């Protein structure tokens, strides 16, 4: 599986955020997006996930059939965790697993250190714990392309290490990961793309 | 199909667990219906004549209170993004969520209607017709409401705008629901012709509304 982006242009609210952006991410490698606030890191990830229609350009995912939207091959972890406060930690993950046809949730609970919290309503979790729950989705449902928007926000150091090893495992197994981040994640990414660099 | 059922079940469970929505709708329905005879006086003939209209209009307003929640909570906590990347197209997501709204809010209101009808001296032969027309018409309320909810998604205090958008669309359902009931209570019009139009309205809404709601959802996800 290989992600190719050609001449992508993003316009939001009449303002051109970036234009003619081309890059590719090969099987089993990661891409780190960097750049100042407002250069379009989040917009790029939302375009890749299919939420935001690009003003121009093409996105291709080799190894995927043309009928299925790219969104169904990717995990998107944005600024929000996608956690239902009224459900317990286990119910949250169980729903995602059943809805997306994923597997067992216990390994993910264990990896992200949530087993002790599994019967607590997600509304009672701290910001970092809720973030871990949001990230645990990555492991419950197998998808080749991970789009991570500031994934380490509100995580403590131990949790950051868990996330880093999850990303390493994913790329080692042939997955693709694109992460927009300011903080070092502790993962060596094969590529780095600095958005907005050409403007200066 | 599996994912569709899961999504409906999740939304129903969430609504019941969070509690507020169902009891607010039922309480509102009770208060509106109970307050009207106080204002109109104890004229039983008048009350039984206006009972179908009052029961329907109050039900619309009570259902409208919670329509905003169909998508709003999911957008706010980010679950809508994850659902959108799931196996269901957004049209089916919108349909599932509207259906869940009908099951969790519409049906309890329908079940409460005959009890509240006692307050309005609804003729005894009309109770079954009341239930029948309401069960038939309320899905249209949830599905039309889902379009309004999707359009006003992300707006601050979108609730009032939602009511302005959606209430005019409810008029056909209201007209034919009430006329089907009046046909039975006072005659001489045919019950079946009004009832069949009500069925057609609901069926058309169930098919078309999710398409419109999904288009609006795409805009608010962008």
């Amino acid at each position: 599986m290989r992600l190719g982006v050609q001449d992508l242009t993003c316009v939001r609210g009449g303002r051109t955020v970036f234009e003619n952006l081309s890059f590719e991410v090969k099987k089993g490698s990661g891409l780190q997006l960097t750049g100042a606030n407002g250069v379009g890191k989040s917009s790029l990830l939302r375009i890749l996930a299919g939420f935001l229609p690009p003003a121009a350009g093409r996105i291709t995912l080799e190894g995927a059939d043309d009928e299925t939207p790219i969104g169904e091959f990717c995990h998107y972890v944005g600024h929000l965790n996608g956690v239902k406060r009224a459900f317990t930690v286990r119910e949250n993950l169980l729903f995602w697993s059943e809805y997306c046809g994923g597997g067992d949730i216990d390994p993910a609970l264990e990896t992200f250190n949530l087993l002790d919290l599994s019967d607590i309503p997600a509304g009672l979790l701290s910001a970092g714990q809720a973030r871990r729950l949001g990230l645990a989705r990555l492991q419950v449902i197998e998808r080749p392309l991970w789009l991570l928007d500031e994934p380490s926000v509100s995580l403590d150091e131990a949790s950051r290490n868990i996330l880093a090893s999850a990303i390493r495992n994913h790329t080692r197994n042939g997955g693709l990961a694109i992460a927009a981040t300011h903080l070092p994640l502790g993962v060596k990414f094969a590529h780095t793309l600095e958005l907005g660099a050409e403007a200066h | 199909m599996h994912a569709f059922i899961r999504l409906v079940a999740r939304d129903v469970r969430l609504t019941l667990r969070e509690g507020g929505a169902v009891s607010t709708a039922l309480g509102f329905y009770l208060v509106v219906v109970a307050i009207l005879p106080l204002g109109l006086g104890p004229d039983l003939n008048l009350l039984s004549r206006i009972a179908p209209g009052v029961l329907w209009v109050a039900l619309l307003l009570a259902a409208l209170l919670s329509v905003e929640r169909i998508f709003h909570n999911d957008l706010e906590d980010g679950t809508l993004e994850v659902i959108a990347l799931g196996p269901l197209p957004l049209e089916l997501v919108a349909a599932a969520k509207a259906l869940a709204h009908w099951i969790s809010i519409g049906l309890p209101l329908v079940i409460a209607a005959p009890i509240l009808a006692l307050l309005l001296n609804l003729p005894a032969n009309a109770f079954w017709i009341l239930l029948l027309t309401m069960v038939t018409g309320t899905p249209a309320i949830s599905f039309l409401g889902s379009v309004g909810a999707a359009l006003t998604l992300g707006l601050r205090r979108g609730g009032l705008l939602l009511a302005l958008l959606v209430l005019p669309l409810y008029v056909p359902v209201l007209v034919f629901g009430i006329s089907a009931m009046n046909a039975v209570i006072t005659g001489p019009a045919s019950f079946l012709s009004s009832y069949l139009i009500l069925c057609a309205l609901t069926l058309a809404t169930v098919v078309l509304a999710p398409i419109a709601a999904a288009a609006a959802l795409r805009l608010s996800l962008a």
Side-chain angles (χ1 to χ4, degrees):
Chain A
M1 195 154 270
R2 192 186 69 96
L3 178 79
V5 171
Q6 283 112 36
D7 300 321
L8 202 64
T9 300
C10 169
V11 179
R12 299 204 79 171
R15 186 177 76 94
T16 305
V17 183
F18 54 75
E19 52 188 343
N20 298 328
L21 187 71
S22 300
F23 63 88
E24 64 165 25
V25 185
K26 290 200 185 69
K27 183 177 159 68
S29 65
L31 170 72
Q32 182 173 14
L33 293 176
T34 57
N37 294 137
V39 292
K41 299 189 294 292
S42 295
S43 298
L44 175 58
L45 291 176
R46 293 189 76 85
I47 289 176
L48 292 175
F51 295 137
L52 191 64
R58 251 163 56 85
I59 302 163
T60 44
L61 194 59
E62 261 175 34
D65 62 291
D66 294 337
E67 293 287 302
T68 321
I70 291 178
E72 284 187 37
F73 293 97
C74 64
H75 270 302
Y76 173 82
V77 177
H79 299 283
L80 302 164
N81 293 323
V83 165
K84 275 287 162 206
R85 299 168 56 84
F87 282 160
T88 64
V89 169
R90 182 177 291 277
E91 284 171 324
N92 265 297
L93 277 187
L94 210 55
F95 169 70
W96 292 128
S97 162
E98 288 171 343
Y99 179 66
C100 299
D104 199 7
I105 63 164
D106 282 322
L109 282 175
E110 204 175 325
T111 314
F112 284 90
N113 220 352
L114 290 164
L115 267 180
D116 294 340
L117 303 167
S118 63
D119 293 320
I120 289 179
L124 298 179
L125 296 180
S126 76
Q129 290 168 333
R131 192 69 182 167
R132 290 213 304 266
L133 176 54
L135 289 167
R137 212 171 53 229
L138 296 169
Q139 220 177 37
V140 172
I141 308 146
E142 228 173 79
R143 291 193 164 180
L145 175 57
W146 288 8
L147 304 172
L148 311 170
D149 197 350
E150 301 285 358
S152 60
V153 166
S154 64
L155 291 182
D156 58 21
E157 199 177 332
S159 310
R160 256 202 313 277
N161 291 336
I162 295 173
L163 171 65
S165 71
I167 296 175
R168 272 197 297 272
N169 273 335
H170 177 63
T171 49
R172 197 178 303 134
N173 295 331
L176 279 61
I178 301 181
T181 178
H182 290 292
L183 311 163
L185 282 178
V187 183
K188 187 119 179 59
F189 285 96
H191 314 277
T192 309
L193 179 68
E194 191 179 352
L195 284 178
E198 65 270 31
H200 300 295
Chain B
M1 203 58 210
H2 183 74
F4 185 83
I5 294 167
R6 290 284 167 206
L7 189 55
V8 174
R10 160 196 181 261
D11 267 36
V12 172
R13 258 178 47 199
L14 266 178
T15 313
L16 296 182
R17 178 140 345 156
E18 284 167 351
V22 186
S23 41
T24 310
L26 285 172
F28 185 82
Y29 196 21
L30 171 70
V31 168
V32 172
V33 173
I35 235 170
L36 235 106
L38 295 179
L40 290 171
D43 181 351
L44 286 182
N45 287 330
L46 173 69
L47 285 181
S48 65
R49 212 167 54 242
I50 61 167
V54 171
L55 288 168
W56 265 96
V57 172
L59 180 130
L60 283 185
L61 297 177
L64 202 60
L65 282 182
S66 55
V67 156
E68 194 187 1
R69 300 166 52 112
I70 296 181
F71 299 113
H72 179 260
N73 290 357
D74 280 357
L75 180 79
E76 208 153 62
D77 60 22
T79 41
L80 194 62
E81 288 169 350
V82 192
I83 290 174
L85 295 182
L88 289 182
L90 274 179
E91 284 79 7
L92 284 179
V93 169
K97 295 182 77 64
L99 181 63
H101 180 263
W102 179 66
I103 293 172
S104 54
I105 307 283
L107 276 183
L109 286 174
V110 171
I111 292 165
I115 302 163
L116 298 182
L118 292 171
L119 293 174
L120 295 171
N121 193 33
L122 188 77
N125 64 342
F127 274 78
W128 286 111
I129 305 300
L130 175 72
L131 267 180
L132 181 67
T133 51
M134 282 191 163
V135 166
T136 315
T138 41
I141 294 175
S142 291
F143 276 77
L144 282 174
S146 74
V147 179
L151 280 170
T152 55
L153 203 54
L155 296 183
R156 256 170 234 285
R157 305 217 177 83
L160 206 59
L161 181 61
L162 172 65
L164 283 177
L165 279 173
V166 168
L167 275 177
L169 299 176
Y170 285 165
V171 169
V173 179
L174 192 68
V175 167
F176 289 102
I178 294 171
S179 75
M181 284 186 66
N182 280 334
V184 173
I185 300 171
T186 55
S190 147
F191 161 75
L192 206 60
S193 58
S194 293
Y195 180 69
L196 288 180
I197 294 179
L198 185 65
C199 291
L201 282 172
T202 296
L203 289 175
T205 309
V206 167
V207 174
L208 296 176
I211 300 172
L217 283 182
R218 282 199 183 91
L219 286 180
S220 48
L221 277 172

